[in-house]
Amino acid sequence: MSEPTHETAQELAPPPERARTITDLARIAGVSPGTVSRALAGKSLVNAKTRERIEALAREHGFRLNQMASRLRRQKTGVIGVAIPLGHDRRQHISDAFFMTLLGYLADELTERGYDLMLRRVIPDRDGDWLDRFVGSGMVDGVIVIGQSDQFERIEAAAARFLPMVVWGNHQEGQRHCVVGTDNFAGGRLAAERLIAAGASTIGFLGSTDPIEFAARYAGAKSVADDKGVPIRALPTHLSPEHAADEIAAHLASDMAGIDGIFAASDMLAIACMTELQKRGIDVPGGMKLVGFDDLPIASQTRPALTTIRQDIAAGAARLADLLLRRMGGENTASVVLPPELVGRQTA
Amino acid sequence: MSEPTHETAQELAPPPERARTITDLARIAGVSPGTVSRALAGKSLVNAKTRERIEALAREHGFRLNQMASRLRRQKTGVIGVAIPLGHDRRQHISDAFFMTLLGYLADELTERGYDLMLRRVIPDRDGDWLDRFVGSGMVDGVIVIGQSDQFERIEAAAARFLPMVVWGNHQEGQRHCVVGTDNFAGGRLAAERLIAAGASTIGFLGSTDPIEFAARYAGAKSVADDKGVPIRALPTHLSPEHAADEIAAHLASDMAGIDGIFAASDMLAIACMTELQKRGIDVPGGMKLVGFDDLPIASQTRPALTTIRQDIAAGAARLADLLLRRMGGENTASVVLPPELVGRQTA
DNA sequence: CGCCTGATTGCAAACGTTTGCATTTTTGTA
DNA sequence: TACAAAAATGCAAACGTTTGCAATCAGGCG
């Protein structure tokens, strides 16, 4: 802006030549590029004094190692790919609360372990090849897939050829890919048991049953309901927050015949449902019992506080990171199924 | 498992040799690597028939271009870096709701435009060099910084040397770095005006004033309060959800002298505050007016529904992406300040 | 049939590191 | 002082693409 450059110019040290490549720096230091590389990598082969001198010069000349070149040469990237397939509901936004929470914890875990995280949102039916493209791109050392969506078969196929991949989702007997996830069937059972214990005589399952996680939740709830002779019915609803409210309103207005207990496939759906119920003056839990799924931070903050099935997201993220790193080390890890936990609050 | 390999082996076509490099594929196709490269890039210089043949072979042999090498050679990466500095509150988790929502929209925007997204969480006081390291790594074509935290000076310094960077945060007169953000001062004014109009006679500002965004919100509220002769006081609170509840409870238990209107620095704080108030039997808005900030999706789902200052996160993400891409094209863009909007619901 | 033009293709040099091996320098020992 | 061993450095070949330039080829025209 207004620095008096002309007055002091002759006094200033010349701005240090910027060393862009390791070769620039080697020339400045009067050594070979190889030595610079070893010095900056902290290898023991270089003389301690040389190393210090080179490190000082690197700082002074603002040198940054070109990661692209380094990674090409070393054939590893230090990057973990995170893919979020949006197959079952194209309108489901990547900013889905559950995925975002899981992603946040994952970022913490992986950053802590020195990895960067490359995020990719994929719309499978637009790009049938997405998983192979991602794992084969050479840009990532391993891949975490958040949510199987409706891509189970494709993931199985990729797992056969590609070791370092771990998936968040549902576990099925005999599947090949390594998965971390909550026992959704057991979670569904817990939800139904709670609703019935709270006095529900007919249950509605709010959500989609296309993604296998949700299908398992419904199946779990149904197994309990069938045992106890309680009717249960699916109330199909999309998952994107924008559309859910209207669809819930439509359900509430039409086909609720006898339903006095709702098991929502996710907390966000449960909260949207609660709002719609309250709009209609239906008391929760007086007129309608309600159980959610996930136990997002927000679940404890609603009024009445939401009874829900807790997925331990932080633990899940830690397991995902742990298993992936072990697979990257060549180990062939087994899947992990986390136990769900009923968090009894006020809505059922 | 149990495939009868020995019986049918002689019938099967030999599994196609897997082409790992462009040179493999060139050998198979009987052309030079250069031609393969051009064919796969869809350049017009190659004969259409040759191109088709090579594309078919690439599919057949499962060839994937090594992005690392490609990007090294082309000197561009197709990756946008997203950095989340956690300076002002080391305990603020990356899974902060507002950042995650913004990140989700950003991922959508950038994916749509063909870029990948590399996420990095930085703890500035552990690593004073974080920004330079990120932009100089050669791993990204441009950088988006989400939140200035307390790193204003460092960001300014980096902006002087590095064009393709856009920051989400607060705008200050005369700053050098290109920022997109809500007019926090104006937002603070809206909040205070609403509280006062609703009858508040003394205002508490719930949150930290260390990050400049929050400082500006407080300053805006204070300017209105001072004009109207309404006392206003800061109630310092950390932002991480785990700690906020206890701190809010402590405030509520001790130094609320006369406060009957609270302006919370974020919706999450507002919701936590509402829960604490309700625990104590204080009616909202009867006994305490409450205004939040952000208008997260959840704000409309609370009971009573939260009155808040809306930041248009989707629009902000779109502007961030747009400005960054233009900067990557060499343009020197000006900052964008988005107008906040009062969303009047039930809490004030 | 020869020459010219334009369309394809091949060649080889980058991009900036890392690393095995050879070479030089230093150190220790006889 | 000489020699071996150890330590430090240099050399050059990778890593897998892309791309400017040169070479080849096919076709058209006189």
Coordinates of all heavy atoms in Angstrom, one line a residue, chain A residues 64-65 67-68 71 77-80 103-104 106-108 110-112 114-119, chain B residues 79-86 94 99-100 103 117-124 127 129-140 142-147:
Chain A
R64 N 9.0 -26.3 -0.6 CA 7.9 -27.3 -0.2 C 8.1 -28.5 -1.2 O 8.2 -28.4 -2.4 CB 6.5 -26.8 -0.5 CG 6.3 -25.5 -0.1 CD 5.9 -25.4 1.4 NE 6.1 -24.0 1.8 CZ 6.4 -23.7 3.0 NH1 6.5 -24.6 3.9 NH2 6.6 -22.4 3.4
L65 N 8.1 -29.7 -0.6 CA 8.2 -30.9 -1.4 C 7.0 -31.1 -2.2 O 5.9 -30.9 -1.8 CB 8.4 -32.1 -0.4 CG 8.9 -33.4 -1.0 CD1 10.3 -33.1 -1.5 CD2 9.0 -34.4 0.1
Q67 N 4.4 -33.1 -3.4 CA 3.8 -34.4 -3.0 C 3.5 -35.3 -4.2 O 3.6 -36.5 -4.1 CB 2.6 -34.1 -2.1 CG 2.9 -33.4 -0.8 CD 3.8 -34.2 0.1 OE1 3.8 -35.4 0.0 NE2 4.5 -33.5 1.0
M68 N 3.1 -34.6 -5.3 CA 2.7 -35.4 -6.4 C 3.8 -36.3 -6.9 O 3.7 -37.5 -7.1 CB 2.3 -34.4 -7.5 CG 1.1 -34.8 -8.3 SD -0.4 -34.3 -7.4 CE -1.4 -35.7 -7.7
R71 N 4.9 -38.9 -4.3 CA 4.0 -40.0 -4.2 C 4.0 -40.9 -5.4 O 3.8 -42.1 -5.3 CB 2.6 -39.5 -3.9 CG 2.5 -38.9 -2.5 CD 1.3 -38.0 -2.3 NE 1.3 -37.5 -0.9 CZ 0.4 -36.9 -0.3 NH1 -0.8 -36.8 -0.9 NH2 0.5 -36.5 0.9
T77 N 0.4 -42.8 -1.4 CA -0.1 -41.4 -1.5 C -0.3 -40.8 -0.1 O -0.4 -39.5 -0.1 CB -1.4 -41.4 -2.2 OG1 -2.4 -42.1 -1.4 CG2 -1.3 -42.2 -3.6
G78 N -0.5 -41.5 0.9 CA -0.9 -40.9 2.2 C -2.3 -40.3 2.2 O -2.6 -39.5 3.0
V79 N -3.1 -40.8 1.2 CA -4.5 -40.3 1.1 C -5.4 -41.5 1.2 O -5.2 -42.5 0.6 CB -4.7 -39.6 -0.2 CG1 -6.1 -39.1 -0.3 CG2 -3.7 -38.4 -0.3
I80 N -6.5 -41.3 2.0 CA -7.5 -42.3 2.1 C -8.7 -41.7 1.4 O -9.1 -40.6 1.6 CB -7.9 -42.5 3.6 CG1 -6.7 -42.9 4.4 CG2 -9.0 -43.6 3.6 CD1 -6.2 -44.3 4.1
L103 N -18.4 -38.8 8.9 CA -17.3 -38.3 8.1 C -16.4 -37.4 9.0 O -15.2 -37.5 9.0 CB -17.8 -37.5 7.0 CG -16.7 -36.8 6.1 CD1 -15.8 -37.8 5.5 CD2 -17.4 -35.9 5.1
G104 N -17.1 -36.6 9.9 CA -16.3 -35.8 10.8 C -15.4 -36.6 11.7 O -14.2 -36.3 11.8
L106 N -14.4 -39.6 11.2 CA -13.4 -40.2 10.3 C -12.2 -39.3 10.0 O -11.0 -39.7 10.1 CB -14.0 -40.6 9.0 CG -14.4 -42.1 8.9 CD1 -15.0 -42.3 7.5 CD2 -13.2 -43.0 9.1
A107 N -12.6 -38.1 9.7 CA -11.5 -37.1 9.4 C -10.6 -36.9 10.6 O -9.4 -36.9 10.5 CB -12.1 -35.8 9.0
D108 N -11.2 -36.9 11.8 CA -10.4 -36.7 13.0 C -9.5 -37.9 13.2 O -8.3 -37.8 13.4 CB -11.3 -36.6 14.2 CG -11.9 -35.3 14.4 OD1 -11.5 -34.3 13.7 OD2 -12.9 -35.1 15.1
L110 N -8.4 -40.2 11.0 CA -7.4 -40.4 9.9 C -6.3 -39.3 10.0 O -5.1 -39.5 9.8 CB -8.0 -40.4 8.5 CG -8.9 -41.7 8.4 CD1 -9.6 -41.7 7.1 CD2 -8.0 -43.0 8.4
T111 N -6.8 -38.0 10.2 CA -5.8 -36.9 10.4 C -4.8 -37.2 11.5 O -3.6 -37.1 11.3 CB -6.5 -35.6 10.7 OG1 -7.5 -35.4 9.7 CG2 -5.6 -34.5 10.7
E112 N -5.4 -37.7 12.6 CA -4.6 -38.1 13.7 C -3.5 -39.1 13.3 O -2.4 -39.0 13.9 CB -5.5 -38.7 14.8 CG -5.1 -38.5 16.2 CD -5.1 -37.0 16.6 OE1 -6.2 -36.4 16.5 OE2 -4.1 -36.5 16.9
G114 N -2.1 -39.3 10.4 CA -1.2 -38.7 9.4 C -1.7 -38.9 8.0 O -1.0 -38.7 7.0
Y115 N -3.0 -39.2 7.8 CA -3.5 -39.4 6.4 C -4.3 -38.2 6.1 O -5.0 -37.6 6.9 CB -4.3 -40.7 6.3 CG -3.4 -41.9 6.2 CD1 -3.0 -42.6 7.4 CD2 -3.0 -42.3 5.0 CE1 -2.2 -43.7 7.3 CE2 -2.1 -43.5 4.9 CZ -1.8 -44.1 6.1 OH -1.0 -45.2 6.0
D116 N -4.3 -37.9 4.8 CA -5.3 -37.0 4.3 C -6.5 -37.8 3.8 O -6.5 -39.0 3.6 CB -4.7 -36.1 3.1 CG -3.9 -35.0 3.7 OD1 -4.3 -34.4 4.7 OD2 -2.8 -34.7 3.1
L117 N -7.5 -37.0 3.4 CA -8.8 -37.6 3.2 C -9.4 -37.1 1.9 O -9.5 -35.9 1.8 CB -9.7 -37.3 4.4 CG -10.8 -38.1 4.8 CD1 -10.8 -38.4 6.2 CD2 -12.1 -37.4 4.4
M118 N -9.6 -37.9 0.9 CA -10.2 -37.4 -0.3 C -11.6 -37.9 -0.4 O -12.0 -39.0 -0.3 CB -9.4 -37.9 -1.5 CG -9.8 -37.2 -2.7 SD -8.5 -37.4 -3.9 CE -9.4 -38.3 -5.1
L119 N -12.5 -36.9 -0.6 CA -13.9 -37.1 -0.5 C -14.5 -37.2 -1.9 O -14.2 -36.3 -2.7 CB -14.5 -35.9 0.3 CG -16.0 -36.0 0.7 CD1 -16.2 -37.2 1.6 CD2 -16.4 -34.8 1.4
Chain B
V79 N -7.9 -31.4 -7.8 CA -8.3 -31.6 -6.5 C -8.3 -30.2 -5.8 O -7.4 -29.4 -6.0 CB -7.3 -32.5 -5.7 CG1 -7.7 -32.6 -4.2 CG2 -7.2 -33.8 -6.3
I80 N -9.4 -30.0 -5.1 CA -9.5 -28.8 -4.3 C -9.3 -29.1 -2.8 O -9.9 -30.1 -2.3 CB -10.9 -28.1 -4.4 CG1 -11.3 -27.9 -5.8 CG2 -11.0 -26.9 -3.6 CD1 -10.5 -26.8 -6.5
G81 N -8.4 -28.4 -2.2 CA -8.1 -28.6 -0.7 C -9.1 -27.9 0.1 O -9.4 -26.7 -0.2
V82 N -9.6 -28.5 1.1 CA -10.5 -27.9 2.1 C -9.8 -28.0 3.5 O -9.6 -29.1 3.9 CB -11.9 -28.5 2.1 CG1 -12.7 -27.8 3.2 CG2 -12.6 -28.3 0.8
A83 N -9.5 -26.8 4.0 CA -8.9 -26.9 5.3 C -9.8 -26.3 6.4 O -10.5 -25.3 6.2 CB -7.6 -26.0 5.3
I84 N -9.8 -26.9 7.5 CA -10.6 -26.5 8.6 C -9.7 -26.2 9.8 O -9.3 -27.1 10.5 CB -11.7 -27.5 9.0 CG1 -12.5 -27.9 7.8 CG2 -12.6 -27.0 10.1 CD1 -13.8 -28.7 8.1
P85 N -9.3 -25.0 10.0 CA -8.5 -24.7 11.1 C -9.2 -24.6 12.4 O -10.3 -24.0 12.5 CB -7.9 -23.3 10.8 CG -8.9 -22.7 9.9 CD -9.7 -23.8 9.3
L86 N -8.7 -25.3 13.4 CA -9.3 -25.3 14.7 C -8.4 -24.6 15.7 O -7.8 -25.3 16.6 CB -9.5 -26.8 15.1 CG -10.4 -27.6 14.2 CD1 -10.5 -29.0 14.6 CD2 -11.7 -27.0 14.0
I94 N -14.1 -31.4 14.4 CA -14.3 -31.1 13.0 C -15.8 -31.4 12.7 O -16.3 -30.9 11.7 CB -13.4 -31.9 12.1 CG1 -13.4 -31.3 10.7 CG2 -13.8 -33.3 12.1 CD1 -12.4 -32.0 9.8
F99 N -19.9 -26.4 10.1 CA -18.9 -26.7 9.1 C -19.2 -27.9 8.3 O -19.0 -28.0 7.1 CB -17.6 -27.0 9.9 CG -16.9 -25.8 10.4 CD1 -15.9 -25.9 11.3 CD2 -17.4 -24.5 10.1 CE1 -15.3 -24.7 11.8 CE2 -16.8 -23.4 10.6 CZ -15.7 -23.5 11.5
M100 N -19.8 -28.9 8.9 CA -20.1 -30.1 8.2 C -21.2 -29.9 7.1 O -21.2 -30.4 6.0 CB -20.6 -31.2 9.1 CG -19.5 -31.9 9.9 SD -18.5 -32.9 8.7 CE -16.9 -32.1 8.9
L103 N -19.5 -28.1 4.4 CA -18.7 -29.0 3.7 C -19.5 -29.9 2.7 O -19.1 -30.1 1.6 CB -17.9 -29.9 4.7 CG -17.1 -30.9 4.1 CD1 -16.0 -30.3 3.2 CD2 -16.5 -31.8 5.1
L117 N -12.1 -33.5 -3.7 CA -12.0 -32.6 -2.6 C -11.1 -33.3 -1.5 O -11.4 -34.4 -1.1 CB -13.5 -32.5 -2.0 CG -13.9 -31.4 -1.2 CD1 -15.2 -30.9 -1.8 CD2 -14.0 -31.8 0.2
M118 N -10.1 -32.6 -1.1 CA -9.2 -33.1 -0.1 C -9.4 -32.4 1.2 O -9.2 -31.2 1.2 CB -7.8 -33.1 -0.6 CG -6.9 -34.0 0.3 SD -5.4 -34.3 -0.6 CE -4.3 -33.4 0.4
L119 N -9.7 -33.1 2.2 CA -10.1 -32.6 3.5 C -8.9 -32.6 4.4 O -8.3 -33.6 4.6 CB -11.2 -33.4 4.0 CG -12.0 -32.8 5.2 CD1 -12.6 -31.5 4.9 CD2 -13.1 -33.8 5.7
R120 N -8.6 -31.5 5.1 CA -7.6 -31.5 6.0 C -8.0 -30.7 7.2 O -8.4 -29.5 7.1 CB -6.3 -30.9 5.4 CG -5.1 -31.0 6.4 CD -3.8 -30.6 5.8 NE -3.4 -31.6 4.8 CZ -2.2 -31.6 4.3 NH1 -1.3 -30.7 4.6 NH2 -1.8 -32.5 3.4
R121 N -7.8 -31.3 8.4 CA -8.2 -30.6 9.6 C -6.8 -30.1 10.2 O -5.9 -30.9 10.3 CB -8.8 -31.6 10.5 CG -8.8 -31.4 12.0 CD -9.4 -32.6 12.6 NE -9.3 -32.7 14.1 CZ -8.3 -33.4 14.6 NH1 -7.3 -33.9 13.9 NH2 -8.2 -33.5 15.9
V122 N -6.7 -28.9 10.6 CA -5.4 -28.4 11.1 C -5.6 -27.8 12.5 O -6.5 -27.1 12.8 CB -4.8 -27.3 10.1 CG1 -4.3 -28.0 8.9 CG2 -5.8 -26.3 9.8
I123 N -4.6 -28.1 13.3 CA -4.5 -27.5 14.6 C -3.4 -26.5 14.5 O -2.2 -26.9 14.7 CB -4.3 -28.6 15.6 CG1 -5.2 -29.7 15.4 CG2 -4.3 -28.0 17.0 CD1 -6.2 -30.0 16.5
P124 N -3.7 -25.2 14.3 CA -2.6 -24.3 14.0 C -1.5 -24.2 14.9 O -0.3 -24.1 14.5 CB -3.4 -22.9 13.9 CG -4.8 -23.3 13.6 CD -5.0 -24.6 14.3
D127 N 1.1 -26.6 14.3 CA 1.8 -26.6 13.0 C 1.6 -25.2 12.4 O 0.7 -24.9 11.7 CB 1.1 -27.7 12.1 CG 1.7 -27.6 10.7 OD1 2.7 -26.9 10.5 OD2 1.2 -28.3 9.8
D129 N 2.9 -23.8 10.1 CA 3.2 -23.6 8.7 C 2.0 -24.2 7.9 O 2.2 -24.4 6.7 CB 4.4 -24.4 8.4 CG 5.1 -23.9 7.2 OD1 4.8 -22.7 6.8 OD2 6.0 -24.6 6.6
W130 N 0.9 -24.5 8.5 CA -0.1 -25.3 7.9 C -0.5 -24.8 6.5 O -0.6 -25.6 5.6 CB -1.3 -25.5 8.8 CG -2.0 -24.2 9.1 CD1 -1.7 -23.4 10.1 CD2 -3.2 -23.7 8.5 NE1 -2.6 -22.3 10.1 CE2 -3.5 -22.5 9.1 CE3 -4.0 -24.1 7.4 CZ2 -4.6 -21.7 8.7 CZ3 -5.0 -23.3 7.0 CH2 -5.4 -22.2 7.7
L131 N -0.8 -23.5 6.4 CA -1.4 -23.1 5.1 C -0.4 -23.2 4.0 O -0.7 -23.6 2.9 CB -1.8 -21.6 5.3 CG -3.3 -21.3 4.9 CD1 -3.5 -19.9 4.8 CD2 -3.6 -22.0 3.5
D132 N 0.9 -22.7 4.2 CA 1.9 -22.8 3.2 C 2.1 -24.3 2.8 O 2.3 -24.6 1.6 CB 3.2 -22.2 3.7 CG 3.1 -20.7 3.7 OD1 2.4 -20.1 2.8 OD2 3.6 -20.0 4.6
R133 N 2.1 -25.1 3.8 CA 2.4 -26.5 3.5 C 1.3 -27.1 2.6 O 1.5 -27.8 1.7 CB 2.4 -27.3 4.8 CG 3.7 -27.1 5.6 CD 4.5 -28.4 5.6 NE 3.6 -29.5 6.0 CZ 3.4 -29.8 7.3 NH1 4.0 -29.2 8.2 NH2 2.5 -30.8 7.5
F134 N 0.1 -26.6 2.9 CA -1.1 -27.2 2.1 C -1.1 -26.6 0.7 O -1.1 -27.4 -0.3 CB -2.4 -26.7 2.8 CG -3.5 -27.6 2.5 CD1 -3.4 -28.9 2.0 CD2 -4.8 -27.1 2.6 CE1 -4.5 -29.7 1.8 CE2 -5.9 -27.9 2.3 CZ -5.8 -29.2 1.9
V135 N -0.9 -25.3 0.5 CA -1.0 -24.8 -0.8 C 0.3 -25.1 -1.6 O 0.2 -25.2 -2.8 CB -1.2 -23.3 -0.8 CG1 -2.5 -22.9 0.0 CG2 0.0 -22.5 -0.2
G136 N 1.4 -25.4 -0.9 CA 2.6 -25.6 -1.7 C 2.9 -27.1 -1.9 O 3.9 -27.5 -2.5
S137 N 2.0 -27.9 -1.5 CA 2.2 -29.4 -1.5 C 2.2 -29.9 -2.9 O 2.6 -31.0 -3.2 CB 1.2 -30.1 -0.6 OG -0.1 -30.0 -1.2
G138 N 1.6 -29.2 -3.8 CA 1.4 -29.7 -5.2 C 0.3 -30.7 -5.3 O 0.1 -31.3 -6.3
M139 N -0.4 -30.9 -4.2 CA -1.5 -31.9 -4.2 C -2.9 -31.3 -4.6 O -3.8 -32.0 -4.8 CB -1.7 -32.5 -2.8 CG -0.6 -33.5 -2.5 SD -0.7 -34.9 -3.6 CE -2.3 -35.7 -3.1
V140 N -2.9 -30.0 -4.5 CA -4.2 -29.3 -4.8 C -4.0 -28.1 -5.7 O -3.0 -27.5 -5.8 CB -4.8 -28.8 -3.5 CG1 -5.1 -30.0 -2.5 CG2 -3.9 -27.8 -2.8
G142 N -6.2 -25.6 -5.7 CA -6.8 -24.5 -5.0 C -7.2 -24.9 -3.6 O -7.3 -26.0 -3.3
V143 N -7.4 -23.8 -2.8 CA -7.7 -24.1 -1.4 C -8.9 -23.3 -0.9 O -9.0 -22.1 -1.2 CB -6.5 -23.8 -0.5 CG1 -6.9 -23.9 1.0 CG2 -5.4 -24.8 -0.8
I144 N -9.8 -24.0 -0.2 CA -10.9 -23.3 0.5 C -10.6 -23.5 2.0 O -10.4 -24.6 2.5 CB -12.2 -23.9 0.1 CG1 -12.6 -23.5 -1.3 CG2 -13.3 -23.4 1.0 CD1 -13.8 -24.1 -1.9
V145 N -10.6 -22.4 2.7 CA -10.4 -22.4 4.1 C -11.8 -22.2 4.8 O -12.4 -21.2 4.5 CB -9.4 -21.4 4.6 CG1 -9.3 -21.5 6.1 CG2 -8.1 -21.6 4.0
I146 N -12.2 -23.1 5.6 CA -13.5 -23.0 6.2 C -13.3 -22.4 7.6 O -13.0 -23.1 8.6 CB -14.3 -24.3 6.3 CG1 -14.5 -24.9 4.9 CG2 -15.7 -24.1 7.0 CD1 -15.4 -26.1 4.9
G147 N -13.6 -21.1 7.8 CA -13.5 -20.5 9.1 C -12.1 -19.9 9.3 O -11.1 -20.5 9.1

